């Protein structure tokens, strides 16, 4: 369930964000595509950590990629992700579409790596905590009561 919801959220919200282009003078900066990739990676990490599984993180990223592939087809009276034009012009929206579509694979790999590192550290912490149990308050053999209340 986390896989499908995460992929739908990343795919739909990222696709609506990816075409936002900021201009620095005459230079287009595809910041929407970068933000969409960050959001997609964060969603895959969240799904993986929620399920405590690296496979869930990977599946979320892959399903998002499949959804983006469907969005780049001419199924909705025109593609939602533009990856080329017949005019041969290099439009900023085409650059954003290519970054969003093909950058998703890198975002998935990054999400899987982050999820694996976090889950490994959590497992190590649990092993160390189980080996060194915390004693209840006041039962530590080195415990010495302090002075009584002042007054």
């Amino acid at each position: 369930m986390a896989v499908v919801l995460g992929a739908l959220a990343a795919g739909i919200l990222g696709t609506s964000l990816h075409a936002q282009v900021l201009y620095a003078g005459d230079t287009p900066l595809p910041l929407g595509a970068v933000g969409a990739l960050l959001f997609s990676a964060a969603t895959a990490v969240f799904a993986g950590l929620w399920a405590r599984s690296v496979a869930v993180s990977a599946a979320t990223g892959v399903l998002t990629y499949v959804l983006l592939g469907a969005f780049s087809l001419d199924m909705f009276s025109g593609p939602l992700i533009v990856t080329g034009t017949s005019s041969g012009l290099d439009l900023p929206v085409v650059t954003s579409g290519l970054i969003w579509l093909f950058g998703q694979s890198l975002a998935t790999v990054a999400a899987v790596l982050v999820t694996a590192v976090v889950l490994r550290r959590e497992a190590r912490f649990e092993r160390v905590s189980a080996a060194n149990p915390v004693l209840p308050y006041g039962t530590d053999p080195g415990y010495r009561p302090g002075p009584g209340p002042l007054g």
Side-chain angles (χ1 to χ4, degrees):
M1 187 66 164
V3 173
V4 175
L5 290 177
L8 285 173
I12 293 170
L13 296 175
T15 298
S16 62
L17 174 66
H18 88 278
Q20 302 301 316
V21 177
L22 181 69
Y23 285 89
D26 290 336
T27 306
L29 303 172
L31 296 181
V34 174
L37 289 173
L38 289 173
F39 177 72
S40 176
T43 303
V45 169
F46 179 77
L49 293 179
W50 183 277
R52 295 180 184 263
S53 171
V54 176
V56 169
S57 180
T60 301
V62 169
L63 188 56
T64 302
Y65 194 74
V66 169
L67 188 61
L68 297 185
F71 286 168
S72 67
L73 299 175
D74 193 8
M75 295 177 8
F76 307 100
S77 70
L80 298 175
I81 302 172
V82 179
T83 57
T85 62
S86 59
S87 67
L89 294 174
D90 188 23
L91 300 174
V93 71
V94 172
T95 304
S96 294
L98 291 171
I99 290 171
W100 173 223
L101 184 62
F102 296 112
Q104 178 59 36
S105 59
L106 296 176
T108 300
V109 170
V112 166
L113 291 175
V114 168
T115 304
V117 167
V118 170
L119 289 177
R120 187 176 304 128
R121 286 185 179 178
E122 182 181 6
R124 185 181 320 136
F125 174 77
E126 288 175 357
R127 279 193 311 270
V128 169
S129 295
N132 301 323
V134 177
L135 298 173
Y137 181 76
T139 60
D140 185 2
Y143 174 74
R144 302 283 183 261
L150 298 175

